[in-house]
Amino acid sequence: AQRVTQPEKLLSVFKGAPVELKCNYSYSGSPELFWYVQYSRQRLQLLLRHISRESIKGFTADLNKGETSFHLKKPFAQEEDSAMYYCALRRTYGQNFVFGPGTRLSVLP
Amino acid sequence: DSGVTQTPKHLITATGQRVTLRCSPRSGDLSVYWYQQSLDQGLQFLIQYYNGEERAKGNILERFSAQQFPDLHSELNLSSLELGDSALYFCASSVGGGQIDTQYFGPGTRLTVL
């Protein structure tokens, strides 16, 4: 069965410091990986997806199939990045999403 | 604003009761998804409808049911409510039911069961 883990429940960094939010998955097929973000009092929104290979708000994520990871990175964190971040997996031929438990990122001034 | 709307915003009810949550997808989107977000279970996929038909099922309890109407809005029915059903219920919509579609989330309905 597919599973997504995010080992850090809370991650605190100072403004301007690099940040890495970890995500590991288990799935026997070729998954599609996503990062969703939920800012305070706002709805869940897509941040980025691995097939797009894009950088959104300075964040990037690379799918590492060997390590089954999809870590989210940003070289210089900003206070407005403080939010809840969810890693999600979608199966190759399905719509079922499996979400990780989430990591709360707190960027301190 | 993603264009997905959900009503009501908050709902407080008692154990044993039945409630209906409503979701209107973005204009043109054919798929609707329902999720439950609770403190202990995290964000869980419940069910997906595509153009009126059930497309995929996740961790949805038998006490829960959903449907998608001809105008594409969807309702999630929760019955015989228990304290543990207290959660934030999100719906999301996407253009199609295919693999490449991005899901856009609504603001959620917060259900409190007393």
Side-chain angles (χ1 to χ4, degrees):
Chain A
Q2 55 268 31
R3 192 177 169 211
V4 177
T5 56
Q6 293 178 251
E8 301 131 338
K9 204 168 182 177
L10 172 65
L11 182 64
S12 293
V13 301
F14 285 104
K15 177 183 171 182
V19 62
E20 181 180 49
L21 301 170
K22 291 186 168 55
C23 170
N24 288 89
Y25 66 91
S26 60
Y27 177 57
S28 56
S30 291
E32 191 174 0
L33 276 297
F34 302 77
W35 276 100
Y36 278 83
V37 60
Q38 189 173 27
Y39 300 102
S40 179
R41 299 176 198 275
Q42 292 188 29
R43 64 189 70 193
L44 201 64
Q45 55 187 287
L46 177 67
L47 182 60
L48 52 80
R49 53 199 297 178
H50 91 268
I51 62 171
S52 301
R53 304 184 70 82
E54 58 200 343
S55 173
I56 303 293
K57 298 184 180 183
F59 285 97
T60 59
D62 290 316
L63 179 61
N64 185 324
K65 291 187 178 180
E67 296 183 359
T68 59
S69 68
F70 188 56
H71 303 327
L72 184 68
K73 300 176 185 179
K74 185 169 182 176
F76 308 104
Q78 303 299 314
E79 288 182 68
E80 54 265 30
D81 295 329
S82 296
M84 196 75 182
Y85 290 81
Y86 293 93
C87 181
L89 173 155
R90 185 165 64 184
R91 297 178 303 164
T92 311
Y93 297 108
Q95 276 292 312
N96 292 29
F97 269 73
V98 175
F99 282 83
T103 296
R104 181 168 296 284
L105 174 65
S106 178
V107 181
L108 308 171
Chain B
D1 185 351
S2 68
V4 180
T5 60
Q6 289 185 248
T7 57
K9 195 170 181 178
H10 301 279
L11 192 50
I12 301 175
T13 187
T15 54
Q17 295 299 306
R18 173 191 169 95
V19 297
T20 297
L21 312 182
R22 183 189 168 102
C23 168
S24 292
R26 296 186 319 156
S27 177
D29 284 1
L30 297 179
S31 271
V32 170
Y33 313 78
W34 285 98
Y35 294 87
Q36 179 193 57
Q37 186 181 38
S38 60
L39 283 175
D40 54 343
Q41 296 286 330
L43 192 59
Q44 291 199 89
F45 167 73
L46 296 178
I47 197 164
Q48 177 208 354
Y49 278 82
Y50 174 73
N51 205 20
E53 301 286 329
E54 183 183 303
R55 174 64 69 94
K57 219 168 188 177
N59 299 324
I60 187 166
L61 300 172
E62 284 191 15
R63 299 183 286 110
F64 296 179
S65 65
Q67 55 184 326
Q68 187 179 27
F69 295 86
D71 67 352
L72 301 176
H73 90 272
S74 177
E75 291 181 357
L76 179 67
N77 300 296
L78 315 176
S79 61
S80 303
L81 286 168
E82 302 175 0
L83 295 177
D85 297 328
S86 295
L88 193 54
Y89 290 84
F90 286 106
C91 85
S93 72
S94 67
V95 172
Q99 187 183 352
I100 62 171
D101 294 312
T102 297
Q103 295 186 19
Y104 296 89
F105 282 77
T109 291
R110 183 168 294 283
L111 174 66
T112 302
V113 182
L114 302 174

